[in-house]
Amino acid sequence: MLTRLGSALQAAADVIAPPCARVEDLRYHWSQVVGACRRHQGPNSFSDTLEVISTASEASARYSDVEGLTDEVSIAGDCNGSATAESSMPATAAYVPAVEETHAPRHLSNMLRILVEEKHDSGGALSPCLEFLVTEKVLKCLAAFAWVDRPLGIRQHAFVFMSGVLQHLHHTHLHHTCIHRPFQKMVLASCSMTASPYEAEEIDFLAALCEKIRQDNSLVLLYIQKMVLASCSMTASPYEAEEIDFLAALCEKIRQDNSLVLLYIQPVLTTREGACSVSRSNSVEPSPARTPSLPHPSRLISSSVKSGPTSDLSSKTSSTQELDVGCSLSQPLSANSGNPSASPANPITSTPTAGCGGSSTENESSHTVPQSHSSEEVPSCSRSSRRSSLSSYSVVSSVGGSSSAWTLTTGGRFSNFPLVDALLNLCSSSADGSISATAHECLLQLCSVREASCCKVLAHHSLLPHYIASRLAHAVSEVPKALDPILLEDFVMPQERSIAAAAVESDESDVNSEEENFTGRKELINMFQWLAFLDKAVISGDRELRGSLCSCVTHSALDGELRPRLISSCEEIRSTLALLTRFLHALSSHALVMCVVRWMCGAATAADSVLPLLLRHCALPPHQVQTLRLLQTALQRSRGGAASLLLSPWLLRRRYVDAELALQQQQCWSDEEDERAKKGSETSPTSSSVSRTFAPTNIDRIVKEFVSLVPEELRSSGTDDFASYCADAGRQCRDSARGAAALHHWGREAGAPQDLDVTGERPESPSVGPGLFLDTLLDLLEKLPSQDYDVNLQVTSVVANLALLPHPQLHEYLLNPLLPLAAGVRTLHGVLRTVARTLAASISAVPHYLQQLHLARHQLLGGADSWQFLRDDQTRQFEAMIVLEEFCKELAAIAHAKYTIEMNR
């Protein structure tokens, strides 16, 4: 009843006094905001704005248009000028007016409410209220007030208002200059303070902006420095000849008069307290590599930063967390190699902000890297922290005035991508885990932008790759170096454990909870969180960004942290090998997997190669099992990429085959003319589509050759398990072929006898052979009778994984016992035959050896858990015979499975 009465009274009031239009209501609220800001300008705001004007005028000789900046600053200057004459408040240096003393926040909220209501009624078109925002330069003026943050706290409400406008604007409207330029200024304002009190509002604004960029990827070009965009777009100029003539003449003039070079260096816009200077100490030499080297990663991250990119755990001991780049003035900052005027200052944070009475020395020790090129103190409370942030950022409009170019001078370093810098600022300085997580999600959105110039800037002109790699390197350095490999193998991330723990009984979960609380668990969680974030960034990015990320990870994490552990103590080596294995299992991106695999299995002749070190651990105890497990994981996860790196040219050119004998006898497995001639059959029309390497006609002989390596009197298993081996081998061969088909072009034929080089190298030369990797595996197979059961089982598993790959030369070398071999060549079949004869001779001399074989099989299969026995040399021989028997059946099953798959193509 009361609702109806109220509606009737409202209708009557509307008839008597119709409500004003929304645009008029919006105009009223905006006039109140402007009036409140004019009445509450602080005493230093006018000098701050004049400082920006004077700073911009110093660079007017370099930049043709500063009209956009002076227009915005003049708005704040006019407001402040009227405040000087009309304000009745005490204009003392100690008094700083606050926005809570005005009604500006309420009027801004009403303005946003009006815009939202009109958006719902208009259905997305450019409404009168939005036209008012454009014509009256509302966003421009509000950005100017937020830039100087007068009244104190207006920046917070400006971020809220801008976020609301962004959320209800269609992304097509953001291309207009009068709309996107204020957003550019707000992004720079977000860069201006480390540990900003408005970080919650800043991340809402940046997240809304990233969402619009996700909807329209071309918007990202508005938030990249124009100079960098030009350098990225003109990679292949059609006027190269004329350009090089002009540059050569200019360089000749500079050689004659060296002082001319100062005219062609982009000036660093400084405050009026310090003059702009160009010296060797703060200049950056361009690096010749696409992804230059970095300083040690431990210097990039503060020791107080421990949470992962998506973790809500955060340090509460300090309101700020530093991201120390650690670049000395003699070190070039690699991220800015494309910017000749950059200096190795802090990449994420802005100029140090001092508290009341704080000096630069005190502040730099807790916030940022000390800037050795500036020794003057930061002003105290009368000149607030926003004063220093204001003088550190300069906005200069681009040539032509279409849109403003970015010039961020944080200690002399120009920002190429201020949007990324603002997000990295929040990632590194925010003590709120949710804000940091949102900032990292926004970074992932920017990584997924498919815009060529943006991808190049992210990869080569931003600090994003170095930031992620250094954070991962820092997380790796925090993991205990002597962690038990068993704990690493059984470790499960919390989100994975919550799904798996549903089926675990309560008593078992209590035991597991006690086992989980081991030393280093939190560090492992943090490391795997950063690894997952890196994995997502690599998956989202394009080819150039993937390459830059992988290069930085190789330098910071792999070379900087893991390589020294591989040559350390025994416990550290075991832990590092297990950690690398978990690395490969946790990665989803093939590019990142290949990054680790290339680092592990690169050229053995290189001075910094890790492969000889790993093979040394394979050959000698006590790290054989862990190293072989790591190499097996690399073979599986790289989908054949590791095998391509490990195979030698000698193997790829089929130098293991005796060319003369093959041409005479035509008995090569990959040539079936003799078999067809014996059968008297002609070549069928469809036989050309079947690989002679993977599907020879003498497959029965090949299977029999492997199975008959172990004499029947020494076999301890039945003959009915070969079918199960064939079923498993068929599934594994199909999976391996499916994974390698899209990545490698190995072909399907090893080659014909007439293609062999008769005058090629012979294996007697120490420089030729199947390679260090295969030689090490064959050496381990020769030691089967004397090695432990775990080592024998692991080395046969690695060889079986190699045999599964659809590589024709590798397949022929491992699974063809009928090849006419060159003199001195070792093959897998020949090594196994020698081992089988050695074991048969020693085992046959043992009394009741058949019972001993069955007992050893029973113990290995777990049927004698309560029996306590010691492994002596005789026991090792029985176990080696069992491993050899099963391994020969597995190899025969793989050869038969490949034949079946090839015939069914």
Side-chain angles (χ1 to χ4, degrees):
M1 184 65 182
L2 293 177
T3 303
R4 294 179 181 178
L5 181 59
S7 300
L9 291 176
Q10 183 65 39
D14 292 342
V15 172
I16 297 173
C20 62
R22 285 196 181 103
V23 66
E24 297 299 329
D25 198 7
L26 187 67
R27 187 187 304 275
Y28 164 74
H29 289 295
W30 174 240
S31 64
Q32 295 299 313
V33 172
V34 173
C37 292
R38 285 179 177 178
R39 291 189 300 271
H40 293 81
Q41 287 295 303
N44 295 324
S45 60
F46 186 55
S47 61
D48 288 342
T49 54
L50 286 181
E51 184 177 344
V52 177
I53 297 177
S54 63
T55 304
S57 62
E58 292 176 3
S60 59
R62 303 293 181 187
Y63 301 96
S64 61
D65 184 15
V66 293
E67 180 184 357
L69 176 63
T70 55
D71 286 346
E72 294 179 24
V73 176
S74 63
I75 297 174
D78 293 341
C79 297
N80 189 69
S82 59
T84 306
E86 300 175 4
S87 178
S88 59
M89 294 185 178
T92 61
Y95 178 74
V96 179
V99 73
E100 287 78 9
E101 300 177 10
T102 70
H103 297 290
R106 179 173 60 85
H107 289 293
L108 285 175
S109 300
N110 289 331
M111 291 175 63
L112 187 58
R113 175 184 54 80
I114 293 171
L115 291 173
V116 173
E117 291 176 355
E118 190 177 50
K119 170 69 167 49
H120 292 316
D121 296 341
S122 62
L126 190 61
S127 59
C129 290
L130 289 178
E131 292 182 1
F132 173 80
L133 291 181
V134 173
T135 57
E136 297 298 326
K137 300 181 180 180
V138 173
L139 298 177
K140 200 174 188 180
C141 184
L142 188 60
F145 286 131
W147 184 262
V148 295
D149 201 9
R150 294 294 192 274
L152 184 61
I154 190 63
R155 182 180 294 183
Q156 176 184 11
H157 300 282
F159 273 118
V160 174
F161 183 80
M162 296 284 189
S163 301
V165 172
L166 264 178
Q167 292 173 1
H168 296 92
L169 270 179
H170 196 265
H171 60 81
T172 55
H173 298 155
L174 300 181
H175 290 277
H176 297 288
T177 304
C178 53
I179 294 179
H180 71 72
R181 286 188 64 180
F183 292 153
Q184 291 176 346
K185 309 308 179 296
M186 298 304 292
V187 172
L188 283 179
S190 180
C191 294
S192 64
M193 294 182 67
T194 302
S196 170
Y198 318 130
E199 57 183 14
E201 291 75 17
E202 291 177 11
I203 193 59
D204 291 340
F205 168 74
L206 296 175
L209 185 59
C210 291
E211 176 62 24
K212 294 300 178 181
I213 292 175
R214 187 191 63 82
Q215 298 174 7
D216 186 358
N217 290 345
S218 62
L219 287 173
V220 76
L221 301 179
L222 301 174
Y223 301 93
I224 303 175
Q225 189 179 0
K226 292 295 182 182
M227 181 180 62
V228 181
L229 283 179
S231 65
C232 292
S233 60
M234 294 296 291
T235 55
S237 174
Y239 316 113
E240 293 177 341
E242 292 78 7
E243 289 175 2
I244 193 62
D245 292 339
F246 167 74
L247 294 176
L250 184 60
C251 292
E252 176 63 24
K253 294 297 182 183
I254 293 176
R255 187 189 64 81
Q256 299 174 6
D257 186 0
N258 294 340
S259 62
L260 291 175
V261 72
L262 301 179
L263 301 176
Y264 300 94
I265 299 178
Q266 184 175 3
V268 178
L269 304 184
T270 60
T271 62
R272 61 183 177 182
E273 287 84 356
C276 174
S277 62
V278 179
S279 63
R280 183 175 301 180
S281 60
N282 60 358
S283 62
V284 175
E285 299 178 0
S287 176
R290 296 182 64 87
T291 306
S293 60
L294 286 173
H296 195 272
S298 61
R299 301 175 65 186
L300 278 148
I301 303 301
S302 170
S303 59
S304 61
V305 181
K306 294 187 181 297
S307 60
T310 57
S311 173
D312 289 334
L313 299 175
S314 60
S315 175
K316 301 297 182 181
T317 59
S318 176
S319 61
T320 61
Q321 295 171 336
E322 65 174 342
L323 182 64
D324 184 8
V325 176
C327 294
S328 63
L329 292 179
S330 61
Q331 270 182 319
L333 184 62
S334 57
N336 292 308
S337 59
N339 192 344
S341 60
S343 67
N346 196 320
I348 309 301
T349 57
S350 63
T351 302
T353 54
C356 295
S359 65
S360 62
T361 305
E362 296 171 355
N363 190 57
E364 286 166 351
S365 62
S366 59
H367 290 279
T368 59
V369 181
Q371 307 294 333
S372 59
H373 62 277
S374 177
S375 59
E376 59 185 10
E377 294 185 353
V378 178
S380 59
C381 186
S382 61
R383 288 179 177 265
S384 63
S385 61
R386 291 176 302 280
R387 171 69 178 267
S388 62
S389 65
L390 173 66
S391 61
S392 301
Y393 291 83
S394 301
V395 184
V396 182
S397 59
S398 63
V399 177
S402 59
S403 62
S404 64
W406 304 87
T407 306
L408 170 62
T409 57
T410 307
R413 186 186 68 84
F414 286 81
S415 174
N416 298 322
F417 206 155
L419 181 57
V420 173
D421 286 350
L423 292 171
L424 292 178
N425 188 14
L426 292 174
C427 290
S428 59
S429 64
S430 177
D432 191 341
S434 60
I435 293 177
S436 179
T438 306
H440 285 93
E441 291 174 2
C442 293
L443 289 174
L444 289 179
Q445 287 185 356
L446 292 179
C447 290
S448 63
V449 170
R450 290 298 178 261
E451 184 69 38
S453 299
C454 175
C455 297
K456 290 182 179 179
V457 172
L458 278 176
H460 307 299
H461 300 282
S462 76
L463 292 164
L464 179 61
H466 310 309
Y467 167 79
I468 300 176
S470 58
R471 279 295 176 93
L472 177 62
H474 176 71
V476 172
S477 66
E478 293 295 316
V479 176
K481 297 182 179 180
L483 197 61
D484 190 357
I486 299 178
L487 294 177
L488 280 170
E489 295 173 4
D490 299 337
F491 175 76
V492 182
M493 287 293 288
Q495 58 269 25
E496 300 175 2
R497 184 176 299 277
S498 61
I499 299 175
V504 180
E505 298 180 359
S506 59
D507 55 345
E508 295 179 353
S509 63
D510 293 337
V511 176
N512 291 336
S513 62
E514 295 178 0
E515 296 177 353
E516 288 173 0
N517 297 326
F518 57 88
T519 303
R521 181 175 181 272
K522 292 182 180 180
E523 289 78 7
L524 274 179
I525 294 175
N526 182 34
M527 184 198 68
F528 281 113
Q529 284 178 343
W530 280 109
L531 189 64
F533 180 75
L534 171 65
D535 197 26
K536 292 178 182 178
V538 172
I539 293 175
S540 303
D542 73 327
R543 180 179 58 85
E544 291 196 35
L545 183 57
R546 288 197 299 266
S548 181
L549 285 169
C550 292
S551 178
C552 293
V553 168
T554 301
H555 177 82
S556 300
L558 299 180
D559 284 336
E561 296 295 336
L562 294 179
R563 183 193 293 270
R565 299 189 184 187
L566 291 175
I567 54 177
S568 185
S569 62
C570 181
E571 292 78 8
E572 291 186 17
I573 293 175
R574 292 175 61 242
S575 177
T576 305
L577 293 173
L579 189 62
L580 283 171
T581 305
R582 282 304 307 267
F583 255 56
L584 292 172
H585 279 297
L587 296 175
S588 302
S589 168
H590 180 71
L592 206 53
V593 170
M594 286 304 301
C595 170
V596 181
V597 170
R598 288 191 189 97
W599 177 76
M600 290 171 42
C601 308
T605 57
D608 57 346
S609 178
V610 186
L611 182 60
L613 186 61
L614 294 178
L615 295 181
R616 195 179 311 125
H617 292 323
C618 281
L620 300 174
H623 310 300
Q624 291 176 295
V625 176
Q626 288 290 346
T627 310
L628 288 170
R629 191 172 298 166
L630 172 61
L631 293 173
Q632 179 184 358
T633 306
L635 290 171
Q636 294 173 345
R637 299 287 294 135
S638 63
R639 291 180 286 179
S644 298
L645 297 172
L646 293 170
L647 299 182
S648 65
W650 178 88
L651 183 70
L652 300 178
R653 296 170 186 169
R654 300 182 71 205
R655 298 297 168 82
Y656 48 86
V657 179
D658 191 333
E660 296 178 356
L661 187 61
L663 288 173
Q664 293 175 5
Q665 298 181 355
Q666 294 286 319
Q667 291 294 329
C668 182
W669 184 27
S670 56
D671 198 316
E672 43 185 80
E673 282 78 4
D674 284 353
E675 293 292 335
R676 290 174 181 169
K678 291 177 183 178
K679 294 181 179 179
S681 60
E682 296 181 356
T683 304
S684 62
T686 60
S687 62
S688 59
S689 62
V690 178
S691 171
R692 297 176 299 172
T693 300
F694 296 119
T697 56
N698 53 1
I699 184 64
D700 294 333
R701 289 181 57 191
I702 295 169
V703 172
K704 185 177 180 180
E705 284 287 337
F706 280 106
V707 174
S708 61
L709 283 176
V710 178
E712 293 186 4
E713 62 272 12
L714 295 178
R715 298 176 187 175
S716 58
S717 63
T719 58
D720 55 348
D721 57 348
F722 182 71
S724 62
Y725 272 105
C726 289
D728 293 339
R731 175 182 53 80
Q732 294 172 358
C733 288
R734 283 189 293 269
D735 294 341
S736 179
R738 191 182 304 112
L743 300 174
H744 309 286
H745 302 283
W746 288 331
R748 297 168 56 206
E749 296 293 346
Q754 58 269 21
D755 299 332
L756 294 172
D757 186 8
V758 180
T759 62
E761 302 95 336
R762 293 297 104 198
E764 289 82 0
S765 175
S767 61
V768 296
L772 289 177
F773 179 61
L774 286 177
D775 277 337
T776 303
L777 293 180
L778 294 178
D779 291 341
L780 291 174
L781 288 175
E782 288 180 346
K783 300 176 184 177
L784 280 179
S786 59
Q787 289 177 155
D788 290 337
Y789 170 75
D790 296 334
V791 178
N792 292 338
L793 196 64
Q794 195 63 50
V795 68
T796 54
S797 181
V798 173
V799 176
N801 277 275
L802 280 174
L804 288 170
L805 295 173
H807 192 289
Q809 288 83 13
L810 181 63
H811 176 94
E812 184 180 49
Y813 179 75
L814 294 178
L815 299 178
N816 184 11
L818 305 178
L819 279 176
L821 298 176
V825 172
R826 286 193 308 172
T827 61
L828 177 61
H829 183 267
V831 170
L832 295 180
R833 181 176 55 203
T834 304
V835 172
R837 291 174 180 174
T838 303
L839 288 173
S842 59
I843 290 178
S844 300
V846 177
H848 309 290
Y849 62 88
L850 288 179
Q851 290 82 353
Q852 295 287 341
L853 276 175
H854 289 289
L855 178 60
R857 174 177 286 274
H858 189 65
Q859 291 171 345
L860 293 177
L861 293 178
D865 294 337
S866 59
W867 295 1
Q868 300 293 332
F869 62 94
L870 297 176
R871 283 192 170 94
D872 52 6
D873 294 340
Q874 182 176 327
T875 306
R876 289 192 182 94
Q877 291 180 354
F878 284 112
E879 292 174 348
M881 178 59 75
I882 296 172
V883 171
L884 178 62
E885 179 185 355
E886 301 300 322
F887 183 50
C888 291
K889 288 189 290 186
E890 185 177 7
L891 293 176
I894 292 173
H896 188 271
K898 286 187 175 182
Y899 171 83
T900 304
I901 293 172
E902 185 64 27
M903 295 301 295
N904 294 331
R905 285 175 61 92

